[in-house]
Amino acid sequence: MANRIARAREQVVFAVAETTRGTLVAPAASDLVVVAGYAKLGQQPSYTDSPEIVDSRDIIADFQDRTPAGTWSFPIIIRPSGSLGVEPNGSVLYESLLGTRTVNAGASVVYSPAIEKPSFSLWVKKSHSVMHASGCTVGKATLRTGAKGGLTLELSGGFMQMGWAGEDTLAADAAQGATDITVGDARKYTVGAMVQLEGDDNGGSGYQVTAVNTTTNVVTLASGLAVGGSAGDAVSGWLPTGSQTSNPLENRKSSAEIAGSSLPIKSMEVTITDDVQYLEDEISTDDYPTEYVESTRQVGGSLEVYFRQDDLVYFQAGRSGTEQAVALVCGDTAGSRVRVEMPRARLAVPDIQEADPTVALQMPLKALGTDGEDSISFTFT
């Protein structure tokens, strides 16, 4: 088998809601996430130097610590479903970001804050390899709009455990019904990975790896082979063929509202920071975090407008700390609209931006909760 170089654009991403935090869930075709950039996924082990004194300036021993939580990131362009009451592409990401998803049949889908953040499994194909991560959460999201391009949401967060499935070949025949297969190098696979054999993808469902022996190069599967394979056949990571029919939102169809009145804008940015604390210091039989705890949520941003004569009132609003409802609205067709609403936002005193031949105002904002878990919401209609 050729030792081929990965091609950057051979990338596919799936995000799947987990029932139990950290318990990996295999993706279905509908779990495809259309990303607007390259997905980053990584988890580095941690080591502590030995305090032992030796007659050398070199460090001659260290200790491997419990594996810290990993990190992931990628941007998306917001894609409503096109139908009222049907979830947008990447629904699980919005739900993990805020906490609650409410589907109003034939009308809307609303994502709003909650005390607890649900987790999801992330699957990322990088050309010849498929990476996966369990116990993922969205810790930060930045929504940006302007005069060009699509309505972009930059997402990042953490996860509990990372794994992978590469591409190798069978080192021996694998009979129909067998659960153990021998490959050339079992280090290319980890427990939890989904794989397929050349000509056998388990009827389109893939096979989940339950054990890996890197000494004997035996990979154990959760179910017996439906077809089997011969020595030399490819063994590779499996993902379903994703389905996606929605259309991305265009920035040109965006507008802002302050206190219910529409406001022409040059640009607007909303950032939600809501990282969880993965419990990396809890000792258990697992070598990675198995739980997380939510912390304080922060919602802020800014909007930029041309400085019109009536806009001077925003200086007074900023000085007095006036709280107003602020919203970003994008889309003009039923089923393909989103409204990002902050019912209680405080605009700061504007910053004057001169750019000949015009003058603009940059207005920072901070969103507060009213009764709690209501500082911001995403409504798709």
Side-chain angles (χ1 to χ4, degrees), residues 37-157:
Y38 297 117
K40 306 295 184 182
L41 188 70
Q43 186 172 33
Q44 292 290 340
S46 171
Y47 296 85
T48 297
D49 293 342
S50 172
E52 297 166 314
I53 305 299
V54 296
D55 188 15
S56 172
R57 293 195 301 111
D58 289 330
I59 297 171
I60 62 172
D62 59 11
F63 306 98
Q64 185 169 357
D65 306 324
R66 282 177 49 79
T67 304
T71 59
W72 65 270
S73 65
F74 52 78
I76 63 173
I77 295 176
I78 292 182
R79 283 176 166 260
S81 66
S83 301
L84 290 170
V86 178
E87 297 168 41
N89 179 251
S91 175
V92 66
L93 301 172
Y94 298 100
E95 187 175 2
S96 179
L97 170 63
L98 294 176
T100 301
R101 179 192 72 239
T102 303
V103 178
N104 302 303
S108 64
V109 182
V110 183
Y111 300 89
S112 52
I115 294 293
E116 295 187 359
K117 292 168 67 75
S119 64
F120 62 94
S121 297
L122 187 61
W123 300 80
V124 180
K125 177 185 177 182
K126 291 290 188 181
S127 192
H128 47 60
S129 299
V130 176
M131 324 301 288
H132 66 259
S134 58
C136 299
T137 57
V138 180
K140 185 176 182 180
T142 299
L143 179 67
R144 289 191 174 93
T145 188
K148 299 179 180 180
L151 183 60
T152 303
L153 188 64
E154 297 177 1
L155 300 164
S156 62

Side-chain angles (χ1 to χ4, degrees), residues 22 25 48 64 80 99 114 133 140 150 159 178 181 217 236 245 284 289 292 299 318 322 332 349 352 363 365 369:
V25 180
T48 297
Q64 185 169 357
K140 185 176 182 180
F159 61 81
I181 60 173
N217 288 322
S236 57
T245 58
S284 70
Y292 58 79
V299 180
T322 302
D332 56 8
V349 174
I352 298 175
M363 297 189 285
L365 65 88

Side-chain angles (χ1 to χ4, degrees), residues 272-288:
I272 304 168
T273 303
D274 192 11
D275 288 310
V276 302
Q277 180 177 333
Y278 286 90
L279 305 186
E280 300 173 351
D281 56 355
E282 185 175 49
I283 300 174
S284 70
T285 55
D286 297 300
D287 193 33
Y288 53 88

Side-chain angles (χ1 to χ4, degrees), residues 329-353:
V329 183
C330 189
D332 56 8
T333 304
S336 296
R337 298 177 298 219
V338 66
R339 181 181 180 88
V340 181
E341 191 161 15
M342 293 162 281
R344 187 184 168 204
R346 179 182 296 123
L347 293 172
V349 174
D351 182 26
I352 298 175
Q353 308 278 333

